[in-house]
Amino acid sequence: MIWVKVLSKQELNSDDFVKMIVANNKKLCLVKNSGQFHVIDNTCPHAGGILSGGWCKHGNIVCPIHRYEYSLTTGRGAEGQGDYINIYPTELKEDGLYVGFKQGWLKRLFS
Ligand code: FES
């Protein structure tokens, strides 16, 4: 696992938010919801909506286009949707928040 820093120590105490980040040339959605950090896909699998333009509701990210919902912790779509988004591991370190990428994924990206 390779860890990439996505938030500085000073940014950790901000209010909750939903925003796009770029880590290892990949656009992702970074969410702080009820004080917990989540990194998820930025593209909705339904029809390509941008999840970083959405909002949180009951532990889910809500897509701004057709309002499908995906769990921030499992990536699963709400009941009846049958789709999912990828979620990425996060780790709080002394100097900020990091997101983890499997090494195989990085090797494929840069080879
Ligand atoms: S594009 Fe996201 S719910 Fe349709």
Side-chain angles (χ1 to χ4, degrees):
M1 188 77 69
I2 293 178
W3 294 95
V4 177
K5 187 176 175 181
V6 293
L7 273 185
S8 70
K9 182 178 179 179
Q10 292 74 23
E11 296 171 295
L12 294 178
N13 294 322
S14 65
D15 293 337
D16 286 358
F17 59 80
V18 178
K19 69 178 187 178
M20 189 191 79
I21 58 169
V22 177
N24 285 317
N25 295 320
K26 187 174 176 64
K27 290 180 182 175
L28 299 170
C29 178
L30 172 60
V31 177
K32 185 177 184 184
N33 182 49
S34 300
Q36 300 296 308
F37 292 101
H38 306 273
V39 176
I40 61 176
D41 284 339
N42 195 41
T43 303
C44 177
H46 176 234
I50 303 302
L51 294 175
S52 57
W55 59 92
C56 294
K57 179 180 162 190
H58 307 304
N60 294 334
I61 185 78
V62 181
C63 178
I65 304 299
H66 306 106
R67 302 189 181 203
Y68 277 27
E69 297 183 24
Y70 303 91
S71 167
L72 288 168
T73 54
T74 68
R76 288 188 182 155
E79 192 174 329
Q81 287 178 210
D83 52 4
Y84 69 92
I85 56 173
N86 293 307
I87 57 171
Y88 300 82
T90 58
E91 187 169 307
L92 282 169
K93 298 186 179 183
E94 259 185 43
D95 63 336
L97 179 74
Y98 287 71
V99 58
F101 294 93
K102 291 179 183 169
Q103 289 182 333
W105 182 84
L106 286 173
K107 279 183 185 169
R108 285 194 301 277
L109 181 67
F110 294 111
S111 61

